Amino acid sequence: MNGIQERALADWFHQPDLDKLNKILDSSIKDESVNYFIYKIVSQLLLEQKENLSGFLSFNYFYGISGATAEQLDDFIEAVYMLVRYPFSIINQKFRMFDESRKQWVVLDASMIEDAYKDEEFFHPLTGKEISKETFNSLVNPYFELSEKGREIFNSSKVV
């Protein structure tokens, strides 16, 4: 992405428009469905109150505001991860699990999760006991928070 595109994208955040996004990203027809969900999510986030955007944002939350259907799930998921990656970089992905003994959520180190998938070796995040991938997936919950860039965009665009 060149500097002109980056500036256009920065401006786009303040007035999201699907056609402009497709042009900025030089999108193919295949990309337009993903871009649609990016547009829907960003537009809805701009309408949210500041307090609703601090802290925990889940896939379910994004799914609800995106208007995606079950048939569109792959494009929706890709859109969420596009918002994590450059050039968007407006949300950070994090992981947590519920600790039954303490009855509270525990934030997990993202590198531990990445290593588990990369190495295909899965251990209980709190006990270290080897477990199946399915059990690991049921214990570990991804969530998102606004990145510094995201906070700047959404906090500056709100009506106080």
Side-chain angles (χ1 to χ4, degrees), residues 90-146:
I90 61 170
I91 56 176
N92 294 321
Q93 183 176 23
K94 300 195 176 203
F95 300 92
R96 67 185 188 156
M97 74 169 287
F98 193 75
D99 182 348
E100 291 292 339
S101 65
R102 296 190 298 176
K103 303 290 184 216
Q104 65 184 31
W105 288 98
V106 176
V107 174
L108 303 173
D109 181 65
S111 64
M112 178 192 73
I113 307 304
E114 292 165 8
D115 288 344
Y117 285 106
K118 181 179 73 177
D119 300 336
E120 288 290 316
E121 294 179 347
F122 301 95
F123 297 92
H124 189 287
L126 300 179
T127 67
K129 179 183 171 191
E130 191 167 355
I131 57 176
S132 70
K133 182 178 182 178
E134 292 75 26
T135 301
F136 187 82
N137 287 339
S138 70
L139 292 173
V140 175
N141 292 285
Y143 72 98
F144 303 89
E145 292 180 346
L146 289 180

Side-chain angles (χ1 to χ4, degrees), residues 5-45:
Q5 287 173 304
E6 287 182 25
R7 283 189 297 282
L9 187 59
D11 291 340
W12 178 85
F13 279 114
H14 298 288
Q15 288 188 315
D17 174 271
L18 184 56
D19 291 332
K20 285 183 187 176
L21 181 62
N22 288 329
K23 288 176 188 169
I24 292 167
L25 298 179
D26 295 324
S27 300
S28 68
I29 297 292
K30 181 180 174 284
D31 298 328
E32 289 182 6
S33 178
V34 172
N35 291 351
Y36 172 76
F37 292 118
I38 290 170
Y39 162 74
K40 288 291 288 184
I41 292 168
V42 170
S43 295
Q44 287 302 121
L45 290 175

